């Protein structure tokens, strides 16, 4: 098989495993999801799972990455035309909380992943969101919208606060009151940075 064809076959196998695993992790949780059932539904061997992901944990990490990437893509699509504005930035954070509170993200990323991945979950979150968040904060500082602070520190702290808010919503079973409480708190924190 030519190298390009092998790459395509590997990508197809990986995509099939991730799609199957997403459904199994959502339906059963990480601990009760069976590698045999995931492979059977994906139409691949268990060896293919080990070859592509190293095992169940690697596959779970790939699922979390995919969900994070989808949230980021949907978040990016909501960026207002008049960016950068403080209102737009706050709106983006609130959209993130709404997207993160959808059932699949809640179950896999915010309930299962903290126990399964530990610190790795924070690392994955930082990979997806830290650089764009820092850039946005720097733009807001240059535009005089928020006070001048260390953008690296502020991005890390704000990212952690929003992630903790998403985890708090997850603990409340996506209770609308919890989403509202967390959203108002995040909004208050960010508007507290307003200059002048």
């Amino acid at each position: 098989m030519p190298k390009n064809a092998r790459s395509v076959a590997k990508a197809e196998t990986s995509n099939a495993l991730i799609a199957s695993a997403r459904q199994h992790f959502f339906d059963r949780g990480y601990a009760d999801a069976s590698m045999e059932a995931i492979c059977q539904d994906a139409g691949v061997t268990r060896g293919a799972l080990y070859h592509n992901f190293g095992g169940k944990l690697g596959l779970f990490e790939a699922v979390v990455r995919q969900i994070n990437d989808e949230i980021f893509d949907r978040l990016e699509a909501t960026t207002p035309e008049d960016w950068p504005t403080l209102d737009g930035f706050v709106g983006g954070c609130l959209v993130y909380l709404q997207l993160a509170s959808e059932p699949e993200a809640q179950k896999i990323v915010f309930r299962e992943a903290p126990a399964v991945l530990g610190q790795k979950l924070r690392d994955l979150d930082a990979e997806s969101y830290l650089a764009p968040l820092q850039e946005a904060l720097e733009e807001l500082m240059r535009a005089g919208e928020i006070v001048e602070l260390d953008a690296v520190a502020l991005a890390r702290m704000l990212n952690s606060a929003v992630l903790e808010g998403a985890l708090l919503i997850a603990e409340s079973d996506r209770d609308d009151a919890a989403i509202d409480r967390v959203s108002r708190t995040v909004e208050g924190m960010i508007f507290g940075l307003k200059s002048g």
Side-chain angles (χ1 to χ4, degrees):
M1 182 183 295
K3 186 177 179 182
N4 192 33
R6 279 195 305 268
S7 297
V8 169
K10 182 175 177 164
E12 288 173 354
T13 298
S14 293
N15 290 338
L17 280 164
I18 290 172
S20 174
R22 276 179 81 151
Q23 192 61 54
H24 283 265
F25 292 143
F26 180 67
D27 291 342
R28 294 168 187 81
Y30 178 80
D32 294 332
S34 155
M35 289 198 305
E36 290 79 11
I38 290 169
C39 291
Q40 183 178 5
D41 287 352
V44 302
T45 65
R46 193 167 169 162
L49 187 153
Y50 282 104
H51 178 71
N52 286 296
F53 299 102
K56 186 177 176 182
L57 183 61
L59 180 57
F60 183 76
E61 182 181 323
V63 167
V64 171
R65 278 182 191 278
Q66 187 178 69
I67 294 170
N68 261 352
D69 289 348
E70 289 170 3
I71 290 172
F72 182 79
D73 289 346
R74 290 172 64 193
L75 185 60
E76 207 170 38
T78 67
T79 302
E81 289 180 25
D82 62 347
W83 184 257
T85 65
L86 187 55
D87 288 339
F89 182 80
V90 170
C93 290
L94 300 182
V95 167
Y96 171 83
L97 290 173
Q98 286 296 325
L99 295 173
S101 69
E102 291 179 353
E104 187 183 46
Q106 282 285 287
K107 172 85 181 267
I108 295 173
V109 178
F110 296 103
R111 288 194 187 130
E112 295 284 321
V116 176
L117 297 177
Q119 179 60 39
K120 184 68 177 174
L121 175 62
R122 291 199 178 272
D123 296 342
L124 293 175
D125 183 72
E127 277 179 32
S128 297
Y129 302 107
L130 265 186
L133 186 58
Q134 181 182 331
E135 288 171 21
L137 290 168
E138 288 169 346
E139 286 184 42
L140 290 170
M141 287 179 204
R142 280 193 297 273
E145 293 257 357
I146 62 174
V147 294
E148 291 278 338
L149 295 168
D150 182 282
V152 173
L154 184 57
R156 284 183 175 270
M157 294 171 78
L158 190 54
N159 186 63
S160 293
V162 174
L163 178 59
E164 284 299 323
L167 291 168
L168 184 61
I169 292 168
E171 291 169 7
S172 70
D173 292 325
R174 200 180 182 271
D175 177 348
D176 286 341
I179 295 171
D180 184 56
R181 266 194 332 272
V182 170
S183 295
R184 281 187 288 112
T185 302
V186 167
E187 196 172 24
M189 286 172 57
I190 299 169
F191 278 126
L193 298 169
K194 193 170 183 176
S195 61

